């Protein structure tokens, strides 16, 4: 058993005020509220739009974590921002956040892993805390995915929304508590099923790339759906089994919010009762890296009284890459 793990000291979030409802989308593409809700579980999503950038949401999410914990920015050692929509190619959004919040003793970086960005960032921060190099870390998932969506493409525009969620991690010295385990995976052969071809070094922005739509997200929804259900279920079952647990032992399951049918199918394979599955997709859609921390935030804020030290929480994500994984947290608060 590890002598030192990481635990979640506090949570924070930011959601843009502007709502884009299914009814709004009916006026933009050939779709209907009924189709979107039945096929995805989404009713509305939030839109930040171009201009303010990813850091505009990451900063208030991070500050909320610090305020809730009574920690000052100069006490943070590490900032990781999981994102596929950084403010700019470089410097990293982590550098911008560090400067904006005044975390003068922190280092950090951005981590790009599609919708698994928060989970991969969490795992990295946990390992740095376990090693003793870092005592306190801000892990943020923030994406302004609306800036990359073609609002004429009904296959993508109905599912995505903007937002940011964050957690403040600290070292936990109570053996057997905190983040106990991670299983993380990538499979680059799934890359073409969900990608943004333009804007990198292979297709830099040109008039031609703009005209070709290379700067918009493209997706083969069916392929992503199938892979998401099978891979999220597999790693979730495996992480439970290797820790001697089953779905029945969980207090909460916090899945990536991509499609309610993916969530339901995964929860069914895990044998987790419905009331333990955290779902907020109807309000925010798929917020990419922010999806898990936003769901976790709502679980902690609305049902925090149900959390007891020793409760098991499972989080699981799937995203572009393909990237996926699960983590097992044994809840602990000092
Ligand atoms: O976090 C990872 C990121 N992405 C995901 O996890 C996405 C996973 N995939 C999905 O959520 C689903 O595949 C979508 C919601 C994107 C699409 O739902 P689907 O049930 O897989 O639809 P489909 O692509 O199989 O299309 C079924 C039908 C097609 O019409 P025909 O060919 O049967 O006549 C589509 O043209 O639904 C049509 N369709 C729509 N109709 C109304 C596709 N999108 C829409 C739409 N409104 N927005």
């Amino acid at each position: 058993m590890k002598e030192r793990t990481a635990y979640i000291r506090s949570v924070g979030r930011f959601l843009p005020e502007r709502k884009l409802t299914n009814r709004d989308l009916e006026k933009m593409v050939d779709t209907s509220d009924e189709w979107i809700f039945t096929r995805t579980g989404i009713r509305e999503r939030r839109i930040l739009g171009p201009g303010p950038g990813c850091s505009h949401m990451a900063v208030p999410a991070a500050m909320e974590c610090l305020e809730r914990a009574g920690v000052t920015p100069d006490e943070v050692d590490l900032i990781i921002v999981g994102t596929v929509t950084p403010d700019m190619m470089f410097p990293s959004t982590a550098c911008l956040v560090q400067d904006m919040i005044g975390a003068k003793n922190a280092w950090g970086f951005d981590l790009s892993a599609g919708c698994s960005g928060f989970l991969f960032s969490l795992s990295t921060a946990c390992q740095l805390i376990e090693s003793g190099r870092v005592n306190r870390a801000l892990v943020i998932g923030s994406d302004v995915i609306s800036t990359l969506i073609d609002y004429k493409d009904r296959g993508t525009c109905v599912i995505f929304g903007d937002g940011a969620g964050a957690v403040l991690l600290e070292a936990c010295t109570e053996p057997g508590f905190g983040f106990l385990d991670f299983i993380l995976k990538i499979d680059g052969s799934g890359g073409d099923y969900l990608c943004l071809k333009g804007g990198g070094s292979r297709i830099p922005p040109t008039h031609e790339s703009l005209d070709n739509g290379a700067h918009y997200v493209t997706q083969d929804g069916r392929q992503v759906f199938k892979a998401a259900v099978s891979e999220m279920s597999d790693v979730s079952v495996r992480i439970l089994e290797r820790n001697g647990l089953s779905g029945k032992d969980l207090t909460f399951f916090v899945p990536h919010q991509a499609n309610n049918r993916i969530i339901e199918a995964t929860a069914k394979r895990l044998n987790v009762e419905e009331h333990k599955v955290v779902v907020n997709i109807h309000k925010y859609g798929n917020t990419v890296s922010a999806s898990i921390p936003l769901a976790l935030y709502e679980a902690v804020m609305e049902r925090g009284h149900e959390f007891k030290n020793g409760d098991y929480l499972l989080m699981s994500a799937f995203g572009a890459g393909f990237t996926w994984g699960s983590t097992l947290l044994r809840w602990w608060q000092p």
Side-chain angles (χ1 to χ4, degrees):
M1 196 178 293
K2 290 174 198 158
E3 286 192 2
R4 183 179 153 111
T5 59
Y7 79 99
I8 295 178
R9 168 89 187 265
S10 59
V11 292
R13 75 168 181 192
F14 179 87
L15 289 160
E17 274 179 27
R18 188 182 150 209
K19 289 180 184 170
L20 181 67
T21 65
N22 291 352
R23 296 280 180 217
D24 295 329
L25 285 164
E26 282 177 353
K27 295 175 202 140
M28 297 158 70
V29 286
D30 181 14
T31 192
S32 66
D33 174 46
E34 204 256 330
W35 190 95
I36 301 172
F37 188 69
T38 323
R39 303 305 293 165
T40 70
I42 303 168
R43 286 276 187 218
E44 59 187 35
R45 62 291 291 139
R46 302 296 179 96
I47 303 292
L48 183 71
C54 176
S55 62
H56 178 84
M57 302 193 296
V59 164
M63 285 308 295
E64 185 180 346
C65 286
L66 297 179
E67 279 155 19
R68 284 189 184 286
V71 166
T72 54
D74 59 349
E75 294 175 296
V76 174
D77 303 319
L78 171 72
I79 301 169
I80 307 182
V81 181
T83 187
V84 292
T85 51
D87 286 42
M88 46 190 136
M89 294 291 276
F90 63 87
S92 70
T93 302
C95 288
L96 305 180
V97 171
Q98 178 274 334
D99 183 44
M100 286 190 233
I101 69 174
K104 58 179 193 287
N105 297 311
W107 67 288
F109 52 91
D110 291 358
L111 193 151
S112 167
C115 297
S116 309
F118 178 78
L119 204 62
F120 283 28
S121 302
L122 200 57
S123 164
T124 310
C126 283
Q127 287 174 56
L128 285 159
I129 288 176
E130 282 168 22
S131 76
R133 287 205 175 260
V134 162
N135 286 317
R136 199 173 273 126
L138 271 171
V139 179
I140 306 165
S142 181
D143 268 305
V144 200
I145 194 71
S146 66
T147 55
L148 304 179
I149 297 296
D150 177 2
Y151 283 92
K152 293 191 189 74
D153 174 11
R154 68 178 183 174
T156 53
C157 74
V158 301
I159 61 173
F160 289 105
D162 301 335
V167 295
L168 179 68
L169 298 182
E170 282 185 2
C172 169
T173 48
E174 192 71 32
F177 291 83
F179 282 95
L180 301 183
D181 202 1
F182 283 88
I183 299 180
L184 305 177
K185 309 281 284 181
I186 64 172
D187 177 3
S189 70
D192 283 344
Y193 294 126
L194 177 54
C195 59
L196 179 78
K197 292 213 159 69
S201 52
R202 201 186 292 173
I203 308 180
T206 58
H207 290 293
E208 196 191 350
S209 70
L210 275 174
D211 292 344
N212 292 341
H215 301 280
Y216 289 131
V217 172
T218 56
Q219 167 175 263
D220 181 333
R222 255 181 237 193
Q223 295 294 341
V224 179
F225 187 101
K226 275 195 284 183
V229 173
S230 116
E231 305 295 11
M232 274 170 64
S233 306
D234 278 1
V235 284
S236 297
V237 166
R238 212 141 50 83
I239 204 167
L240 287 173
E241 277 175 4
R242 81 181 189 188
N243 286 277
L245 302 169
S246 78
K248 296 258 176 259
D249 297 310
L250 296 174
T251 306
F252 285 110
F253 175 44
V254 187
H256 169 48
Q257 313 280 310
N259 184 318
N260 201 36
R261 289 184 295 132
I262 296 177
I263 297 174
E264 281 173 359
T266 311
K268 197 167 162 207
R269 263 208 55 200
L270 291 181
N271 224 351
V272 192
E273 295 107 302
E274 206 183 319
H275 69 277
K276 295 180 173 179
V277 184
V278 181
V279 179
N280 62 6
I281 192 169
H282 52 291
K283 293 188 281 189
Y284 311 127
N286 179 350
T287 53
V288 192
S289 301
S291 139
I292 289 188
L294 282 175
L296 182 70
Y297 180 98
E298 292 201 353
V300 172
M301 288 301 141
E302 289 164 19
R303 298 165 71 177
H305 56 281
E306 294 173 45
F307 283 59
K308 296 181 300 299
N309 280 1
D311 280 354
Y312 287 103
L313 267 82
L314 182 75
M315 303 178 211
S316 188
F318 185 90
F322 291 142
T323 57
W324 70 98
S326 288
T327 182
L328 184 65
L329 167 67
R330 194 152 181 234
W331 190 254
W332 190 72
Q333 292 289 298

